[in-house]
Amino acid sequence: MSLRRKLLLVALSMLALPWAGWQFVRQMEILLRQGQEQTLIASGKALARSLAAIRAELPALGPALYVHALESPVQIDGYGEEWADFRAYAQNLGPPQNAQKLKLMLAADTAWLYMYAEVRDVTRQRADAHDPQAERADHLELTLQRGDASRRYLIASAAPGPFDALASGNDGGSLPLTLSGEWQEDGGGYRIELRLPLAQMPERMALASHDASEASGFQPEPQALLAFSSLLSGELGQFAPEATHVRLLSAEGWLLGESGKNDNATNPEKTSSVATEQPGLLARLAYRWLIAPALQGSPSLAKTSPRLEAAELWQALSGVAAASWRAGETSGEVILSAAVPLVLNGEIRGALLLEQSNAALPLLTDAALKRLGVVSLAVLLLAAGVLFAFASRLSTRIRLLRDRAERAMAADGRTEGVMPLVDARDELGDLARSFQRLLDSVAAYTDYLRTLASKLSHELHTPLAIVKSSLDNLDHQALPANARAYVMRARDGIERLGATVRAMSEASRTERAIASAEAEDFDLVAVVSGCAEAYRALAMPRELHCSLPGESLPMHGAPELIAQALDKLFDNARSFTPEQGWIRIGLEATPDGALLSMCNLGPALPEAMQNRLFDSLVSVRGAAARDETPHLGLGLTIVRLVTELHGGVATARNLDDGTGVEFRLLLRGMPRQRLGAATNPGG
């Protein structure tokens, strides 16, 4: 990544400014919401105290049975299709260990109280209520209480169809003496459906099922009947805050009273002009996802249902007021819900749920975000422009320093010119001066290395000559037999040392010759072919194969150097190839030059040495080599220098089948010199 882009990324750090502003707006919005929450909770507590003061008919303590409101009469047939809307609110009255065994639903219209019960019982032992064995068969026991009066009914039937409930108890008062209904059953159990006049509606009720196959003595306590109260709703309406939807709920979440609507918050006569505006799409998205992402109010609060299941309600019923926010039904609207406990004489009798709609809060937040966005964008653009200009200036200076550093070293290792920016007084000036000192040190060390071989060979000639002449004189002396072996060993060592000195001198001369070589146009096929023919006699008894193109391959370069590099490769291949092995020379044209290869049968190259094989003084010769000549690892270095002089690269690899080694020289040609200016490589 370029420096400009990096500094541009640094400029993007200015986004911390709008982020900080966003956090500020968000905190302010949270404070506004918390203020509204506290206000609505305080209104709910005041309403609860008002209901207690007027002695409103609040729900009794303990569990209760809820009576749903009906718009039309129910047909008593025992099948329960007309109870489908209330099945989700069926109450479980079974024993604690099997609460799902008995389900009850109650409903009322203007004239009747209806009851529908389902019993899960897969066994069969039926008897009519008038049968003496009825209490030992499958049956239901219904208890009705009204004031001090109480009456118990035994509901049983020997077969599906109508039934009459057997009543007991002489203190039943105005409670009905008989109950009639319908009994239906299937493989999973049985169902009963009955009704009684609304004028005889009890205040408390209990229902228990008895299974003949189980020894169960469970007898529930009668529970109070609860229903939606118009009177209680009117009392709520007297004290409820304006533009607030209020619901009074029992301790089990049953709806007992309701007043008001929460859509008055958008009434233009009662709200400010800000709230009468409709927020746009951007305002809604910004508020919903950036400012108030935690609108986690219970969705069930938006429903009109006989019973509510919401976390806010249960928290209020535990004695702690709760508040939450959720998205409204209309665009850009949010709903604030507050649930407060309804306490009477220190006992929680239910909860009040208050809801208010608010469209002004998203609009105010959107206006603040727009102002913040404009200021942040202006600051960001200004900072980005300044940093981009600085980055352009800085990158230009760094590029100048880089280009000069790349041209500082010539092909022969000498340094050229002076680094730019050495007079600058900033960090780049320090870097330029460090580069200059480094180049001076590299130049001195390179010159030392360049002349080291010639200096060593010159300095070693005289002591080697002295040692050799001394050994020659010893040959004419009478020496003991055991001393002759040491003389021969010393002569062998001095000859190897002499060969090493000659190789160093030859390598030094070759490097100078490569650096001063002049280029010419020649046919590379002819050069390789001539070398291959000369190698045949030297390769014997090894097989030598040569694969050349059928037409000439022009090249601009030094043919004698290419032949010398090929000689080094051939000497290397011959020394590692067994006498019954083979050597292959190949040449082929490439899109930008030529590919010269030399393959031989022999040991594979070590993996760690394949990338270092062309370095100076590196050799892998050992027991696998076929001659005793000392090697300094300079031959392949010369091959690399010749290849690089011709704009190419030298590589070595093991053959895919593992039988030998292949060396490749990719040659592109030396640059053509015209009027002192270099042109593209010839081919």
Side-chain angles (χ1 to χ4, degrees):
M1 184 180 293
S2 66
L3 185 61
R4 293 183 183 181
R5 293 184 179 179
K6 290 181 179 179
L7 288 179
L8 185 59
L9 289 178
V10 174
L12 293 179
S13 63
M14 296 296 294
L15 289 175
L17 176 63
W19 178 84
W22 165 49
Q23 291 295 325
F24 175 76
V25 173
R26 187 171 182 179
Q27 291 300 320
M28 292 300 298
E29 191 271 345
I30 291 175
L31 292 176
L32 288 175
R33 282 200 287 153
Q34 289 177 348
Q36 294 189 18
E37 291 171 5
Q38 296 301 322
T39 301
L40 192 58
I41 289 176
S43 299
K45 292 180 178 180
L47 178 57
R49 289 192 294 269
S50 299
L51 293 176
I54 65 173
R55 298 184 182 277
E57 188 178 351
L58 300 178
L61 291 174
L65 300 177
Y66 190 75
V67 181
H68 301 274
L70 286 175
E71 297 181 357
S72 59
V74 173
Q75 181 180 358
I76 305 300
D77 55 10
Y79 288 103
E81 288 85 354
E82 296 167 291
W83 297 85
D85 294 338
F86 307 127
R87 285 190 178 276
Y89 309 104
Q91 296 178 261
N92 298 318
L93 301 181
Q97 66 273 16
N98 192 2
Q100 300 287 334
K101 185 177 181 64
L102 173 61
K103 293 181 179 292
L104 174 67
M105 288 180 282
L106 299 173
D109 57 13
T110 57
W112 299 92
L113 173 66
Y114 301 91
M115 185 181 77
Y116 179 81
E118 292 182 350
V119 180
R120 183 161 51 86
D121 185 4
V122 296
T123 62
R124 291 292 185 274
Q125 188 170 346
R126 309 285 190 251
D128 287 329
H130 299 281
D131 190 328
Q133 302 296 325
E135 291 192 358
R136 289 191 292 271
D138 298 333
H139 66 278
L140 291 172
E141 289 186 7
L142 175 64
T143 303
L144 303 181
Q145 292 181 356
R146 188 171 184 175
D148 295 333
S150 176
R151 184 158 285 163
R152 174 176 170 270
Y153 303 85
L154 189 147
I155 302 174
S157 179
F163 68 86
D164 292 324
L166 182 63
S168 62
N170 296 323
D171 56 348
S174 61
L175 294 172
L177 294 174
T178 61
L179 293 177
S180 299
E182 288 287 329
W183 179 295
Q184 299 294 338
E185 59 184 47
D186 54 25
Y190 58 92
R191 303 174 299 275
I192 67 162
E193 190 174 22
L194 58 83
R195 69 179 183 179
L196 65 153
L198 197 60
Q200 296 177 315
M201 179 177 176
E203 296 175 350
R204 304 178 70 84
M205 177 186 295
L207 183 66
S209 65
H210 295 269
D211 190 346
S213 63
E214 297 179 0
S216 174
F218 175 70
Q219 187 66 38
E221 291 292 329
Q223 301 179 23
L225 299 186
L226 299 179
F228 185 85
S229 173
S230 300
L231 176 62
L232 198 54
S233 298
E235 293 172 343
L236 285 175
Q238 294 178 9
F239 302 101
E242 188 178 7
T244 304
H245 181 206
V246 182
R247 284 177 279 185
L248 192 151
L249 304 164
S250 72
E252 294 179 307
W254 296 109
L255 180 63
L256 304 181
E258 186 176 20
S259 174
K261 295 183 179 180
N262 57 20
D263 56 356
N264 291 333
T266 56
N267 190 337
E269 297 180 358
K270 299 180 180 180
T271 56
S272 65
S273 60
V274 177
T276 61
E277 302 177 8
Q278 285 295 325
L281 177 61
L282 181 60
R284 298 196 303 271
L285 292 178
Y287 186 81
R288 180 65 183 88
W289 299 108
L290 296 180
I291 300 300
L295 297 179
Q296 302 297 331
S298 300
S300 60
L301 297 179
K303 301 177 182 178
T304 302
S305 57
R307 186 178 184 183
L308 292 182
E309 294 279 351
E312 297 89 342
L313 174 61
W314 305 131
Q315 182 175 337
L317 291 174
S318 68
V320 180
S324 66
W325 294 79
R326 72 176 189 275
E329 296 180 358
T330 60
S331 174
E333 181 187 37
V334 290
I335 306 295
L336 169 61
S337 301
V340 296
L342 189 58
V343 182
L344 183 63
N345 297 327
E347 299 173 333
I348 298 178
R349 305 288 287 274
L352 286 173
L353 180 64
L354 295 82
E355 292 183 322
Q356 286 183 347
S357 174
N358 195 326
L361 198 57
L363 286 172
L364 292 173
T365 304
D366 177 63
L369 278 178
K370 287 180 179 178
R371 290 192 294 270
L372 174 64
V374 171
V375 174
S376 300
L377 181 61
V379 173
L380 182 62
L381 291 177
L382 178 62
V386 172
L387 285 177
F388 186 78
F390 172 73
S392 299
R393 169 63 177 165
L394 185 60
S395 62
T396 300
R397 299 176 70 200
I398 293 177
R399 192 178 296 110
L400 178 64
L401 186 61
R402 180 207 63 188
D403 294 342
R404 186 64 191 87
E406 290 179 349
R407 298 193 303 269
M409 296 294 294
D412 57 356
R414 295 184 176 88
T415 59
E416 298 177 349
V418 180
M419 296 298 295
L421 305 178
V422 292
D423 296 329
R425 297 304 176 187
D426 55 6
E427 288 78 1
L428 286 180
D430 294 338
L431 181 61
R433 288 186 287 273
S434 298
F435 276 173
Q436 187 63 53
R437 289 192 294 270
L438 178 62
L439 288 175
D440 293 341
S441 299
V442 170
Y445 186 67
T446 302
D447 184 69
Y448 168 75
L449 292 179
R450 186 183 302 109
T451 59
L452 178 61
S454 59
K455 290 178 180 178
L456 285 177
S457 60
H458 176 74
E459 294 296 330
L460 290 176
H461 270 302
T462 300
L464 285 176
I466 295 174
V467 174
K468 188 174 183 301
S469 61
S470 299
L471 292 175
D472 291 339
N473 291 331
L474 285 176
D475 285 341
H476 298 87
Q477 301 295 324
L479 297 175
N482 56 354
R484 290 288 181 183
Y486 294 110
V487 171
M488 294 300 295
R489 192 174 303 170
R491 182 178 296 279
D492 181 65
I494 201 63
E495 289 179 356
R496 294 175 62 86
L497 187 57
T500 300
V501 171
R502 289 191 297 272
M504 293 174 61
S505 300
E506 179 184 355
S508 178
R509 290 192 300 271
T510 302
E511 290 182 10
R512 289 195 296 270
I514 291 174
S516 61
E518 295 183 359
E520 62 180 86
D521 292 326
F522 64 95
D523 182 9
L524 185 58
V525 174
V527 173
V528 176
S529 176
C531 292
E533 291 301 323
Y535 298 154
R536 293 192 182 278
L538 298 174
M540 295 298 292
R542 305 168 186 86
E543 295 183 6
L544 180 65
H545 305 282
C546 187
S547 176
L548 302 175
E551 55 186 11
S552 62
L553 184 55
M555 176 70 63
H556 184 73
E560 69 281 356
L561 294 181
I562 293 179
Q564 187 175 3
L566 198 58
D567 291 345
K568 300 296 183 183
L569 291 179
F570 176 76
D571 289 340
N572 183 77
R574 184 180 61 175
S575 63
F576 284 98
T577 304
E579 293 184 355
Q580 303 302 321
W582 48 263
I583 300 175
R584 288 199 298 263
I585 301 175
L587 178 65
E588 58 180 283
T590 62
D592 57 347
L595 180 63
L596 179 60
S597 62
M598 176 80 71
C599 304
N600 68 278
L601 179 69
L605 293 173
E607 291 292 335
M609 297 298 298
Q610 292 187 21
N611 296 328
R612 300 181 50 215
L613 203 58
F614 293 94
D615 294 343
S616 180
L617 301 178
V618 174
S619 177
V620 295
R621 293 177 181 269
R626 297 298 191 273
D627 58 54
E628 299 295 333
T629 305
H631 293 272
L632 301 180
L634 298 173
L636 294 181
T637 303
I638 294 174
V639 172
R640 176 180 58 82
L641 294 175
V642 172
T643 305
E644 292 175 351
L645 181 67
H646 288 79
V649 60
T651 58
R653 70 180 187 92
N654 294 320
L655 294 177
D656 295 336
D657 56 5
T659 58
V661 180
E662 179 184 25
F663 289 84
R664 290 187 173 188
L665 307 182
L666 179 60
L667 305 174
R668 297 185 178 90
M670 296 173 61
R672 295 181 181 274
Q673 302 294 331
R674 292 181 181 177
L675 300 179
T679 63
N680 294 330

